[in-house]
Amino acid sequence: QVQLVESGGGLVKPGGSLRLSCAASGFTFRHYYMSWIRQAPGKGLEWVSYISSGDTTIYYADSVRGRFTISRDDGKNSLYLQMNSLRAEDTAVYYCARPDREYCTGGVCPIDHWGQGTLVTVSS
Amino acid sequence: QSVLTQPPSVSGAPGQRVTISCTGSSSNIGAGYDVNWYQQLPGSAPKLLIYDNSNRPSGVPGRFSGSKSGTSASLAITGLQAEDEADYYCQSYDSTLSGVFGGGTKLTVL
């Protein structure tokens, strides 16, 4: 069955860096656009970034563009999010997410599989 | 400020029917993009509830239904049950080239 397992969250000081990972299994990872979606404590969902199969298309929300970098390693069935220059407002649970269809642009197709989330806390 | 607008909260007694609205614009729902709905229980990841405006994934009870018209969409829950108490989010795609969410609606079962 499909599994998405995030790791790498934790407490970091403002201005610091963190790298999130998502280990995927149970499906042909290289065929799917993959996304990072976050949720600040007590708040709603925000689409942070997505990356296409083949790395040809990458999207970043305005709130993270220039600070975050999404990448993937299809050989390791893994998705990553390098987060630099972290701010207090980046504090959130970060979810790795997969749409229900292959080769479907991030956000066009529904997300039918979510990881359990990893908490990132930015605080001094 | 979310791109899609939902009421912050709705409530209903067991057995009643409630609806949750989701209002977008001509750059997302009104542009013809489908609307999806997610249910999020406390401490859990969101779960797909309705996809492509009105379709239910297998395992989702028939009490849940969705519709879309113009720049808006709605989620209806009939025969409300205590276990339906959760946060509900609508989602679509926007011409800014990304998925977008509503701000979420907290459903309270009285």
Side-chain angles (χ1 to χ4, degrees), chain B residues 66-93:
Chain B
S67 64
K68 172 191 161 185
S69 178
T71 59
S72 296
S74 287
L75 172 70
I77 310 171
T78 58
L80 206 55
Q81 298 182 4
E83 68 210 47
D84 299 333
E85 190 160 288
D87 294 326
Y88 293 84
Y89 293 91
C90 61
Q91 178 256 314
S92 186
Y93 184 79

Tab-separated table of all heavy atoms in Angstrom, chain B residues 66-93:
chain	number	residue	atom	x	y	z
B	66	GLY	N	-21.039	16.396	-2.671
B	66	GLY	CA	-20.486	17.673	-3.086
B	66	GLY	C	-21.125	18.151	-4.372
B	66	GLY	O	-21.616	17.355	-5.177
B	67	SER	N	-21.095	19.473	-4.547
B	67	SER	CA	-21.609	20.065	-5.773
B	67	SER	C	-20.817	21.311	-6.094
B	67	SER	O	-20.115	21.861	-5.233
B	67	SER	CB	-23.099	20.402	-5.626
B	67	SER	OG	-23.287	21.383	-4.624
B	68	LYS	N	-20.927	21.737	-7.346
B	68	LYS	CA	-20.206	22.928	-7.788
B	68	LYS	C	-21.091	23.688	-8.773
B	68	LYS	O	-21.769	23.085	-9.601
B	68	LYS	CB	-18.889	22.530	-8.460
B	68	LYS	CG	-18.130	23.674	-9.125
B	68	LYS	CD	-16.993	23.142	-9.985
B	68	LYS	CE	-16.539	24.169	-10.993
B	68	LYS	NZ	-15.519	23.660	-11.918
B	69	SER	N	-21.052	24.998	-8.666
B	69	SER	CA	-21.789	25.846	-9.592
B	69	SER	C	-21.101	27.195	-9.699
B	69	SER	O	-20.885	27.862	-8.678
B	69	SER	CB	-23.239	26.029	-9.123
B	69	SER	OG	-23.941	26.887	-9.991
B	70	GLY	N	-20.770	27.586	-10.906
B	70	GLY	CA	-20.126	28.876	-11.106
B	70	GLY	C	-18.807	28.980	-10.381
B	70	GLY	O	-17.902	28.176	-10.607
B	71	THR	N	-18.692	29.951	-9.508
B	71	THR	CA	-17.446	30.162	-8.766
B	71	THR	C	-17.511	29.598	-7.351
B	71	THR	O	-16.674	29.929	-6.509
B	71	THR	CB	-17.103	31.665	-8.680
B	71	THR	OG1	-18.185	32.353	-8.036
B	71	THR	CG2	-16.857	32.267	-10.057
B	72	SER	N	-18.496	28.744	-7.076
B	72	SER	CA	-18.652	28.198	-5.730
B	72	SER	C	-18.864	26.692	-5.743
B	72	SER	O	-19.206	26.109	-6.767
B	72	SER	CB	-19.853	28.848	-5.029
B	72	SER	OG	-19.656	30.219	-4.838
B	73	ALA	N	-18.667	26.120	-4.571
B	73	ALA	CA	-18.908	24.693	-4.368
B	73	ALA	C	-19.493	24.511	-2.977
B	73	ALA	O	-19.398	25.407	-2.124
B	73	ALA	CB	-17.612	23.900	-4.508
B	74	SER	N	-20.091	23.360	-2.767
B	74	SER	CA	-20.683	23.065	-1.459
B	74	SER	C	-20.462	21.621	-1.077
B	74	SER	O	-20.451	20.741	-1.939
B	74	SER	CB	-22.194	23.326	-1.470
B	74	SER	OG	-22.487	24.684	-1.489
B	75	LEU	N	-20.297	21.410	0.207
B	75	LEU	CA	-20.246	20.070	0.787
B	75	LEU	C	-21.481	19.926	1.660
B	75	LEU	O	-21.760	20.798	2.481
B	75	LEU	CB	-18.987	19.903	1.633
B	75	LEU	CG	-18.882	18.618	2.463
B	75	LEU	CD1	-18.663	17.419	1.548
B	75	LEU	CD2	-17.755	18.720	3.482
B	76	ALA	N	-22.212	18.850	1.463
B	76	ALA	CA	-23.393	18.579	2.282
B	76	ALA	C	-23.179	17.298	3.074
B	76	ALA	O	-22.633	16.316	2.543
B	76	ALA	CB	-24.640	18.460	1.412
B	77	ILE	N	-23.583	17.343	4.307
B	77	ILE	CA	-23.532	16.165	5.163
B	77	ILE	C	-24.925	15.939	5.710
B	77	ILE	O	-25.491	16.820	6.376
B	77	ILE	CB	-22.548	16.342	6.335
B	77	ILE	CG1	-21.196	16.846	5.837
B	77	ILE	CG2	-22.378	15.028	7.091
B	77	ILE	CD1	-20.224	17.245	6.948
B	78	THR	N	-25.509	14.792	5.401
B	78	THR	CA	-26.842	14.467	5.913
B	78	THR	C	-26.727	13.422	7.015
B	78	THR	O	-25.693	12.727	7.122
B	78	THR	CB	-27.739	13.924	4.797
B	78	THR	OG1	-27.116	12.767	4.221
B	78	THR	CG2	-27.936	14.955	3.699
B	79	GLY	N	-27.748	13.322	7.830
B	79	GLY	CA	-27.728	12.353	8.921
B	79	GLY	C	-26.494	12.526	9.791
B	79	GLY	O	-25.764	11.576	10.060
B	80	LEU	N	-26.281	13.755	10.240
B	80	LEU	CA	-25.077	14.120	10.983
B	80	LEU	C	-24.809	13.159	12.141
B	80	LEU	O	-25.719	12.770	12.889
B	80	LEU	CB	-25.241	15.541	11.504
B	80	LEU	CG	-24.001	16.381	11.777
B	80	LEU	CD1	-23.115	16.476	10.559
B	80	LEU	CD2	-24.425	17.764	12.250
B	81	GLN	N	-23.552	12.768	12.284
B	81	GLN	CA	-23.147	11.888	13.369
B	81	GLN	C	-22.037	12.543	14.177
B	81	GLN	O	-21.289	13.388	13.662
B	81	GLN	CB	-22.669	10.541	12.816
B	81	GLN	CG	-23.738	9.773	12.055
B	81	GLN	CD	-23.264	8.428	11.561
B	81	GLN	OE1	-22.140	8.003	11.842
B	81	GLN	NE2	-24.134	7.734	10.824
B	82	ALA	N	-21.900	12.125	15.421
B	82	ALA	CA	-20.889	12.696	16.308
B	82	ALA	C	-19.483	12.574	15.716
B	82	ALA	O	-18.654	13.467	15.861
B	82	ALA	CB	-20.950	12.009	17.670
B	83	GLU	N	-19.238	11.495	15.017
B	83	GLU	CA	-17.901	11.258	14.439
B	83	GLU	C	-17.594	12.187	13.275
B	83	GLU	O	-16.465	12.209	12.783
B	83	GLU	CB	-17.802	9.817	13.960
B	83	GLU	CG	-18.692	9.481	12.767
B	83	GLU	CD	-19.132	8.038	12.747
B	83	GLU	OE1	-19.574	7.547	13.800
B	83	GLU	OE2	-19.047	7.419	11.679
B	84	ASP	N	-18.587	12.951	12.805
B	84	ASP	CA	-18.351	13.898	11.715
B	84	ASP	C	-17.724	15.193	12.208
B	84	ASP	O	-17.338	16.046	11.409
B	84	ASP	CB	-19.665	14.224	10.995
B	84	ASP	CG	-20.310	13.008	10.365
B	84	ASP	OD1	-19.582	12.061	10.014
B	84	ASP	OD2	-21.549	12.999	10.215
B	85	GLU	N	-17.644	15.350	13.523
B	85	GLU	CA	-17.059	16.574	14.078
B	85	GLU	C	-15.583	16.633	13.705
B	85	GLU	O	-14.783	15.774	14.096
B	85	GLU	CB	-17.240	16.606	15.605
B	85	GLU	CG	-16.879	17.934	16.223
B	85	GLU	CD	-17.505	18.123	17.595
B	85	GLU	OE1	-18.726	18.317	17.681
B	85	GLU	OE2	-16.735	18.078	18.582
B	86	ALA	N	-15.234	17.637	12.916
B	86	ALA	CA	-13.896	17.744	12.343
B	86	ALA	C	-13.777	19.086	11.629
B	86	ALA	O	-14.729	19.874	11.576
B	86	ALA	CB	-13.656	16.608	11.348
B	87	ASP	N	-12.591	19.330	11.076
B	87	ASP	CA	-12.373	20.476	10.196
B	87	ASP	C	-12.490	20.010	8.753
B	87	ASP	O	-12.020	18.920	8.404
B	87	ASP	CB	-10.988	21.082	10.428
B	87	ASP	CG	-10.852	21.703	11.807
B	87	ASP	OD1	-11.852	22.251	12.318
B	87	ASP	OD2	-9.741	21.646	12.364
B	88	TYR	N	-13.110	20.849	7.932
B	88	TYR	CA	-13.315	20.514	6.522
B	88	TYR	C	-12.701	21.602	5.652
B	88	TYR	O	-12.882	22.784	5.912
B	88	TYR	CB	-14.813	20.365	6.218
B	88	TYR	CG	-15.421	19.171	6.914
B	88	TYR	CD1	-15.848	19.252	8.236
B	88	TYR	CD2	-15.541	17.949	6.263
B	88	TYR	CE1	-16.378	18.154	8.895
B	88	TYR	CE2	-16.071	16.838	6.899
B	88	TYR	CZ	-16.481	16.952	8.223
B	88	TYR	OH	-17.009	15.841	8.864
B	89	TYR	N	-11.957	21.165	4.620
B	89	TYR	CA	-11.276	22.094	3.726
B	89	TYR	C	-11.678	21.815	2.276
B	89	TYR	O	-11.695	20.664	1.849
B	89	TYR	CB	-9.763	21.926	3.834
B	89	TYR	CG	-9.189	22.344	5.166
B	89	TYR	CD1	-9.059	21.427	6.206
B	89	TYR	CD2	-8.766	23.656	5.376
B	89	TYR	CE1	-8.533	21.809	7.434
B	89	TYR	CE2	-8.238	24.042	6.600
B	89	TYR	CZ	-8.132	23.123	7.617
B	89	TYR	OH	-7.608	23.510	8.829
B	90	CYS	N	-11.961	22.883	1.545
B	90	CYS	CA	-12.123	22.749	0.108
B	90	CYS	C	-10.778	23.074	-0.557
B	90	CYS	O	-9.926	23.751	0.037
B	90	CYS	CB	-13.230	23.639	-0.441
B	90	CYS	SG	-13.008	25.423	-0.217
B	91	GLN	N	-10.612	22.581	-1.768
B	91	GLN	CA	-9.346	22.773	-2.498
B	91	GLN	C	-9.627	22.779	-3.981
B	91	GLN	O	-10.467	22.015	-4.473
B	91	GLN	CB	-8.366	21.653	-2.134
B	91	GLN	CG	-7.036	21.724	-2.858
B	91	GLN	CD	-6.914	20.716	-3.985
B	91	GLN	OE1	-7.250	19.554	-3.824
B	91	GLN	NE2	-6.437	21.148	-5.134
B	92	SER	N	-8.934	23.644	-4.685
B	92	SER	CA	-9.043	23.675	-6.137
B	92	SER	C	-7.680	24.079	-6.692
B	92	SER	O	-6.677	24.101	-5.966
B	92	SER	CB	-10.137	24.668	-6.550
B	92	SER	OG	-10.359	24.625	-7.944
B	93	TYR	N	-7.651	24.396	-7.968
B	93	TYR	CA	-6.423	24.839	-8.630
B	93	TYR	C	-6.628	26.270	-9.084
B	93	TYR	O	-7.739	26.665	-9.460
B	93	TYR	CB	-6.120	23.933	-9.816
B	93	TYR	CG	-4.824	24.237	-10.530
B	93	TYR	CD1	-3.613	23.819	-10.007
B	93	TYR	CD2	-4.818	24.942	-11.732
B	93	TYR	CE1	-2.417	24.087	-10.661
B	93	TYR	CE2	-3.628	25.210	-12.388
B	93	TYR	CZ	-2.439	24.784	-11.861
B	93	TYR	OH	-1.263	25.048	-12.497
